[in-house]
Amino acid sequence: MRSISWVVVAGLAFAASGCSDYDVILKKQTEMDARLEQLIQGSAAANKRVAELSGEVKELQARDKAQSAELDELKNTVAPQLKNLKPSLETPSPSVTELPPAATPRIEVVNSDAAPPDSDAGPQEAYMKAFGLFSSNKYGEAIEAFEAFIRNHSSHEYAGNAQYWIGECYYTQRNYPLALEAFNKVVSNYPKGNKVPDAMLKTGYTLFNMNEPARAKAALKALVDKYPRSPAAVKAKERLGHS
C-alpha cells in the first residue's frame, strides 16, 4: 500500500514538473514572438523614414528648380528695362525736370510651408511606444497604451495587433478571463488580421488554464482546420498531443 502511494506522489510530481516546463517554454515563445514583431515594426519604421527622406530630397530639388526658373524669368524681365533706362539717364529730355523712379520688379515669395506629416507617422510611433512598454514588462501601462491606440486608430492595420498584445498582457498576468475576452476580440473585430491564428491559439491555451479542456481542444482544433499551414496550427497540434 505504501509503495502505491509513492508511485502516485511521484506521478503527480512529474506531471507538475511537466506543466511547469511547458509554461516556461510557452513564455519563452511569447517573448520571442514579441521580439520578432518589434524587429519587424522597427525595420518597417526605418524603411518608411528612408522613403520620407527620399521624398524630402526630391521636394527640395523641385523647389530649387522652380526658384532657378523664377530667377531666370526675373533676369529676362529686368534686363530690358535697365537697357532702356540707361540712354534716358545719359541724355535727359529738356522738358523733363525729374525722372520717375525706376520701377522695382515685384518678387512674390511662394508659400514654402513644409508638407503635412504623413498621417501614419503618429499611429506607428504610438504603436511602437505601447509595444516598448510590453517588452519592458510594464503590462498595465502597455494595456492602456494599446487601448488608446485602438481608440484613436481603430481602422489602422496595427489595430488587430494591438488587441492581440492586450490579450498577451492579461495572459502574462494570469488574468485569464480578460485575456480570453481580448483574444476573442481579435478574431471577431479583425477577422482578416494577421494575428487571428495566434489569437485562436492563445484562446485554447487560456481555456486550458481556466480548467475548460473541452472548449480549449475545440478552439485549437478550429485553428488547425481553418489555418492548417500556419505556425500557430503547428503549436496547436503539439498542445493537443500533450492534452
Side-chain angles (χ1 to χ4, degrees), residues 149-216:
F149 177 87
I150 294 172
R151 283 196 304 272
N152 297 329
H153 313 287
S154 58
S155 60
H156 196 274
E157 59 180 319
Y158 295 162
N161 294 45
Q163 183 61 54
Y164 172 82
W165 290 109
I166 289 173
E168 284 288 5
C169 288
Y170 284 126
Y171 186 90
T172 304
Q173 293 176 312
R174 300 182 183 277
N175 190 337
Y176 298 123
L178 288 182
L180 182 63
E181 180 182 345
F183 291 135
N184 284 334
K185 284 183 179 179
V186 177
V187 180
S188 60
N189 295 353
Y190 310 96
K192 296 182 179 180
N194 61 356
K195 281 294 183 182
V196 170
D198 292 323
M200 294 177 71
L201 176 69
K202 280 306 180 70
T203 295
Y205 288 172
T206 303
L207 288 168
F208 272 121
N209 284 302
M210 295 174 69
N211 296 318
E212 297 190 39
R215 290 181 62 196

Side-chain angles (χ1 to χ4, degrees), residues 3-130:
S3 61
I4 295 176
S5 299
W6 278 109
V7 170
V8 173
V9 171
L12 291 174
F14 179 79
S17 175
C19 291
S20 177
D21 291 343
Y22 190 82
D23 289 341
V24 171
I25 293 172
L26 181 59
K27 189 174 188 303
K28 291 295 182 182
Q29 287 179 340
T30 300
E31 291 175 353
M32 289 176 63
D33 290 344
R35 181 57 180 160
L36 178 61
E37 176 158 343
Q38 193 171 23
L39 290 173
I40 291 173
Q41 300 300 342
S43 176
N47 292 337
K48 184 176 181 179
R49 184 54 184 158
V50 169
E52 290 174 351
L53 291 174
S54 177
E56 291 174 4
V57 169
K58 290 180 180 179
E59 183 180 356
L60 288 173
Q61 291 174 339
R63 289 182 183 179
D64 182 64
K65 185 176 181 180
Q67 290 175 352
S68 297
E70 290 175 2
L71 287 174
D72 291 339
E73 183 179 355
L74 183 61
K75 289 178 182 179
N76 294 334
T77 302
V78 174
Q81 293 180 358
L82 293 176
K83 186 176 180 180
N84 295 332
L85 182 62
K86 185 176 180 180
S88 61
L89 288 174
E90 292 176 348
T91 55
S93 173
S95 61
V96 178
T97 58
E98 184 177 355
L99 288 173
T104 303
R106 182 182 178 185
I107 303 176
E108 294 185 1
V109 178
V110 179
N111 185 2
S112 59
D113 291 341
D118 192 332
S119 59
D120 281 344
Q124 184 163 357
E125 183 180 351
Y127 178 83
M128 292 302 294
K129 181 178 179 181

